[in-house]
Amino acid sequence: EDYKVGRSTFTREWSASSTSENLVEEEAPSSNEKAAEFFDPLLSPHAYPNGTKSGPVARKDDKTKDEKKQIGVLLIDHGSKRESSNARLEALAEIYQKRAPSHHTVKFAHMEIAPPSIEDGIREFCNDGVMDIVCHPYFLSPGRHVLEDIPELIEAAVVQMKEEGMGDELTVRTTEPVGSDLEQMVDLISRMVGDTLGDSGDEEAYDSGFLKKKKSEMGALG
């Protein structure tokens, strides 16, 4: 007589009998049974003899730890009737985008005269779901355009977005103009002057702090 592996049915007394009356044959999972749609981590894996079609059920609040908030960077210049001048800001934005962190999106806008306008730029970010925007005035000096005109245009754009129901979570900040950092501007000018002069043979040159020093100490200018 073949012996079969089985489990005892529950009675008032535990039985180790191998008779068919007290044994219920263990049913093997049918190969025709479909795998469960989702895996519930609160249940034992034995509850899924045929596996699952997907991994653990993700909770609504589960987020990748490395996920970073998307940031929009809007470069703003004055705008010109000359297409070549406007194209320069576009080229700058493209170069900046290549060097920016992966969660930063760089766009450009003109204060007036040529598209895209400041409102166009902010609207495009909103359409892309980017609600944290940093505006950078591409101006040398903090004049009227930087202190008055651009902030007013940004504020008007934000108000318009909120009226259209797009800016409830919108945050727009503005940096100082590019020319506000005098130390870096002097470094840049000094390097460009040195590049123009080339290797003139002078033993002395001026650094960004306007202190005389040997050319051999000037690094990029040497």
Side-chain angles (χ1 to χ4, degrees), residues 133-145:
I133 303 171
V134 178
C135 295
H136 175 69
Y138 188 59
F139 288 75
L140 286 179
S141 303
R144 179 172 61 86
H145 289 326

Side-chain angles (χ1 to χ4, degrees), residues 64-120:
T64 305
K65 293 183 179 179
D66 296 334
E67 183 179 353
K68 295 182 179 180
K69 185 176 184 180
Q70 294 297 308
I71 302 295
V73 179
L74 187 63
L75 306 181
I76 303 171
D77 71 357
H78 184 279
S80 173
K81 294 180 180 179
R82 296 180 59 182
E83 293 185 4
S84 59
S85 297
N86 297 326
R88 192 167 184 83
L89 184 66
E90 182 178 2
L92 177 66
E94 291 177 355
I95 295 172
Y96 184 8
Q97 181 67 79
K98 293 178 181 178
R99 302 181 183 181
S102 59
H103 63 291
H104 285 198
T105 301
V106 183
K107 299 182 184 297
F108 67 95
H110 307 294
M111 186 190 74
E112 60 182 8
I113 301 177
S117 66
I118 292 175
E119 181 178 322
D120 292 337

Side-chain angles (χ1 to χ4, degrees), residues 4-5 11 13 34 44 49 67-68 102 132 136-137 142 146 151 154 156 163 170 179 197:
K4 295 182 179 180
V5 178
T11 61
E13 296 180 357
K34 296 182 179 180
S44 168
E67 183 179 353
K68 295 182 179 180
S102 59
D132 195 348
H136 175 69
V146 171
I154 292 174
E163 288 181 353
L170 182 61
L197 293 175

Side-chain angles (χ1 to χ4, degrees), residues 148-201:
E148 298 179 14
D149 297 338
I150 289 178
E152 289 176 359
L153 290 170
I154 292 174
E155 182 180 2
V158 172
V159 170
Q160 182 63 32
M161 296 303 103
K162 291 186 176 181
E163 288 181 353
E164 296 179 14
M166 300 173 62
D168 293 339
E169 300 178 0
L170 182 61
T171 299
V172 180
R173 292 168 281 181
T174 306
T175 71
E176 295 292 329
V178 68
S180 61
D181 192 328
L182 296 182
E183 287 296 327
Q184 292 196 41
M185 291 300 296
V186 172
D187 284 342
L188 177 60
I189 294 171
S190 179
R191 188 175 77 244
M192 295 178 74
V193 170
D195 290 343
T196 300
L197 293 175
D199 187 9
S200 62

Side-chain angles (χ1 to χ4, degrees), residues 32-67:
N32 295 326
E33 293 181 5
K34 296 182 179 180
E37 290 291 335
F38 300 103
F39 173 74
D40 187 342
L42 298 180
L43 296 179
S44 168
H46 297 293
Y48 302 95
N50 292 312
T52 61
K53 294 182 179 180
S54 64
V57 178
R59 298 183 181 181
K60 293 182 179 180
D61 58 350
D62 283 349
K63 291 185 178 180
T64 305
K65 293 183 179 179
D66 296 334
E67 183 179 353

